[in-house]
Amino acid sequence: MSKKNDKMLMIPKIKLGIVIDHIPAGDGVKILEIISRYEEMKDVPITLGINYESKKMGRKDLIKLQIEFLAPEIIQHISIVVPGVTIKAIKNYEVYSKVKVQAPKVIKNLLLCKNPNCITNLEKESDTLFEAVDSASKQVKCAYCERIFDLSELEPIIR
Ligand SMILES: [Zn+2]
């Protein structure tokens, strides 16, 4: 991390928490929406930064969560809705781990199929499974009805 990057963190540094960085400007609210649907996140203090300057991206959004650990399921959901963000874990005001998250190649039980006749919609409690069609995972194929969808048009399943 360079000093220049530190300057971009204009909202106060946190001692312990999770920062979701490099969110394309305007997509921060989408991630906030996902996070707020999880019961376990309802008491977590959250800061949303919109339209921060970014050398790489021009403008970006940024989210800070005052929580020690973000559940892998939530991270997967974020990676599906807004792929390519960086998730940083902060300890004692320093970044101690960071990972860029991409949409997984196989998405199990995280998205609903949009085909009303798909077996996953006809049978309650059935698993859903999608596989990436292209390398960027922008399109996925339902493993049950074999229809292809844009990843962005599928509704997430929140349990
Ligand atoms: Zn299907």
Side-chain angles (χ1 to χ4, degrees), residues 113-115 118-120 130 142-147 149:
C113 183
K114 274 188 90 176
N115 172 7
C118 180
I119 185 126
T120 62
F130 293 89
C142 175
Y144 293 90
C145 69
E146 303 205 314
R147 279 217 200 162
F149 302 96

Side-chain angles (χ1 to χ4, degrees), residues 75-136:
I75 293 176
Q76 269 218 316
H77 257 148
I78 293 170
S79 75
I80 290 165
V81 176
V82 185
V85 301
T86 307
I87 297 187
K88 299 173 181 172
I90 310 289
K91 241 179 203 171
N92 287 321
Y93 303 100
E94 300 290 336
V95 176
Y96 83 91
S97 79
K98 68 173 172 180
V99 60
K100 190 175 161 144
V101 292
Q102 298 294 357
K105 295 280 167 263
V106 174
I107 300 166
K108 194 177 179 196
N109 292 336
L110 287 173
L111 295 170
L112 285 172
C113 183
K114 274 188 90 176
N115 172 7
N117 297 319
C118 180
I119 185 126
T120 62
N121 286 319
L122 298 174
E123 281 181 17
K124 284 228 181 282
E125 312 282 317
S126 68
D127 287 339
T128 72
L129 186 67
F130 293 89
E131 286 156 12
V133 172
D134 57 314
S135 59

